[in-house]
Amino acid sequence: MSTEPAHFTLTETGAFMPTPFAHSHWGDDHLNGPAVVGLAARALETHCGSDDFMPTRFTADLFRAARDAPTTIDVRVVRDGRRVRSAECDVVQGGRTVARATLVQYRRSSAPPGRLWTAPISLVQPPPPDDRILPHVGSDEGGWTRSPAAHQNDSRKRFYNDGIKVLAEEENSPFVRAVIIAESTSLVTNLGTHGIGYINGDLTAAFSRLPVDDWIGIQADSHWASAGISVGTATLFDHQGAFGSGLVTAVANPAAQIDFSGDAIPLKGLNYE
């Protein structure tokens, strides 16, 4: 198996085999969210992408826990219109769909006239990017560190990363990289004083443009919770500013609470979930 930082390798049969980098803190044989959504985003862009269209909304429903097992993708075009394109794919393991993703693309054009209201936003300057694969985790209380352990608090969280490769020996596209980082909406909104106790069952990532940097930041905007159900939103940004939003819904999972205290950041910890 390749030791290159990547979530999957491609087998001779055309299946995708998870690497240790795809493993999750939720279970010994579980895959992390960025690995699953990154694989789906790559498939949708590869089969349905176009330079004339902007990949504007990606939505993934994570039906079942993805396991450390051979994985295949089934892609379908739903609509191939002049201005709007839609496609979906299933992430399949052992003959069962573990996740389903949808991609909506709009044809690029010029903006209409007039000024619109824009929500004020203050983005904290991230640290300089580097060649190490460890991401930066930040909070208002703890500043920036290379581990989430210092950010088990109730202040605003942020994350800064370049997203390791989905497939070994293949660079991530800007769209795939943005989807991978958008999945950390769950990290920046659900990390609290005792770690992470909510597991997200979906991801919606929406982009007005694609990122221009390899390293992308994501900052929490809101977190609402009641009766063991949470909703979190976050803003994605690069050095030019904000370019998209992430949304996750999650369900309480206290039996498998992820406590980062004293975390030595093993390979599976690169994505922290």
Side-chain angles (χ1 to χ4, degrees), residues 212-225:
V212 297
D213 300 334
D214 290 340
W215 282 68
I216 302 171
I218 184 167
Q219 179 173 274
D221 286 332
S222 68
H223 182 266
W224 315 112

Side-chain angles (χ1 to χ4, degrees), residues 122-127 140 144 156 158 219 237:
S122 177
L123 298 173
V124 173
Q125 180 68 30
D140 287 350
W144 288 104
R156 191 178 196 177
R158 49 196 61 90
Q219 179 173 274
F237 63 94

Side-chain angles (χ1 to χ4, degrees), residues 113-121:
R115 296 189 300 273
L116 288 81
W117 175 84
T118 301
I121 184 171

Side-chain angles (χ1 to χ4, degrees), residues 25-26 137 147-155 157 185-199 223 230 250-263 272-273:
H25 277 281
W26 291 113
V137 185
S147 165
H151 308 287
Q152 293 198 169
N153 56 55
D154 59 359
S155 68
K157 310 296 191 308
T185 299
S186 184
L187 171 68
V188 299
T189 60
N190 288 316
L191 177 59
T193 58
H194 289 67
I196 297 179
Y198 288 96
I199 182 169
H223 182 266
S230 77
V251 61
N253 192 25
Q257 182 95 5
I258 301 176
D259 185 352
F260 293 108
S261 298
D263 191 354
Y272 298 125
E273 291 182 80

Side-chain angles (χ1 to χ4, degrees), residues 34 159 179-189 203 218 271 273:
F159 189 66
V179 168
I180 291 173
I181 304 305
E183 210 279 338
S184 291
T185 299
S186 184
L187 171 68
V188 299
T189 60
L203 165 69
I218 184 167
N271 292 295
E273 291 182 80

